Amino acid sequence: MSKETFGFGQVTDVSIIRAASKGSSQAQHVIFERYKTAVLRTLIGMCHDRELARDLAQEVFIQAFRKLHQLKNPQRLGAWLKQLTVRTALSYFRSQTPPPEPLDDNIATLPSWSDQVDWLIQLRDINTLIKQLTEAERYSVWLYLGEGYSHEEIAQLTGEAAATVRKRYQRALAKLQAHITQSQEQL
């Protein structure tokens, strides 16, 4: 059985983690270099704004190094850092967006998850398409499809009901489908 050697699944030596938690800038730099790509990729997927993602990544690492002494299991550094990354982005979104509008109960049921992934992968201009979504819809789609979180896990992260998260996700996919249909009709 091989261990994941990229992204948040990388293994970091316990001595480096301990040194970083005690303020060693050299050890902190090792952790930063090892996880910066995974943190930035996750944030870009959630924010869809590189500059904002860079700012939030900086905040993630500042928080991580302040709280690193609280990490009980050093082998879980990647998972802990991923959770901190997602929570930092969600905290930012909560501070920036007005309260969500009520969700429509009449959203049509969409095809299975694998059909949705195939559908999104086949899109040529994903950047233009993603811009059609609100921040909440964008991070719901990204966390579900890009990061593999379940609707229940997203609900826990956002402090919302799982039904609200599911409906927001369905609404986002319906919005994307409508945009694609409209674009294809204009051709």
Side-chain angles (χ1 to χ4, degrees):
M1 186 162 45
S2 68
K3 291 189 176 182
E4 187 179 355
T5 58
F6 57 92
F8 289 106
Q10 298 178 87
V11 177
T12 303
D13 189 78
V14 174
S15 62
I16 292 174
I17 296 170
R18 287 191 181 127
S21 72
K22 293 178 182 175
S24 166
S25 60
Q26 188 175 15
Q28 289 175 349
H29 182 71
V30 168
I31 291 171
F32 171 78
E33 287 298 322
R34 184 160 292 155
Y35 292 100
K36 71 180 179 184
T37 302
V39 168
L40 198 54
R41 180 183 59 84
T42 299
L43 291 169
I44 289 171
M46 291 180 72
C47 308
H48 206 67
D49 177 338
R50 285 190 184 280
E51 290 304 313
L52 175 58
R54 285 186 185 115
D55 291 345
L56 292 175
Q58 181 177 358
E59 181 61 28
V60 166
F61 283 107
I62 289 169
Q63 287 182 43
F65 295 135
R66 282 186 191 148
K67 297 178 180 182
L68 197 53
H69 67 279
Q70 298 173 356
L71 182 63
K72 296 182 193 309
N73 184 351
Q75 285 100 8
R76 304 259 315 135
L77 175 63
W80 178 76
L81 197 54
K82 182 177 183 178
Q83 185 176 30
L84 181 61
T85 300
V86 170
R87 288 185 186 276
T88 299
L90 292 176
S91 177
Y92 171 81
F93 293 136
R94 273 189 229 114
S95 71
Q96 298 299 312
T97 58
E101 71 261 12
L103 296 174
D104 183 8
D105 287 333
N106 297 324
I107 295 175
T109 304
L110 294 170
S112 72
W113 177 85
S114 61
D115 290 342
Q116 294 167 25
V117 172
D118 291 341
W119 170 65
L120 285 174
I121 288 172
Q122 292 173 9
L123 299 175
R124 288 191 176 150
D125 193 2
I126 193 77
N127 289 331
T128 301
L129 191 61
I130 288 293
K131 289 178 182 176
Q132 306 304 311
L133 302 177
T134 66
E135 284 181 348
E137 291 167 341
R138 189 169 40 248
Y139 70 68
S140 291
V141 168
W142 177 256
L143 288 175
Y144 186 75
L145 294 177
E147 296 296 327
Y149 283 84
S150 70
H151 293 301
E152 290 73 20
E153 290 169 324
I154 297 169
Q156 285 179 332
L157 288 169
T158 61
E160 298 172 320
T164 301
V165 172
R166 269 189 219 91
K167 287 180 182 180
R168 178 182 300 122
Y169 174 76
Q170 290 173 342
R171 181 176 39 182
L173 291 182
K175 189 185 283 186
L176 293 174
Q177 182 64 52
H179 180 74
I180 289 171
T181 302
Q182 181 182 14
S183 297
Q184 289 174 345
E185 287 173 357
Q186 291 176 353
L187 293 177

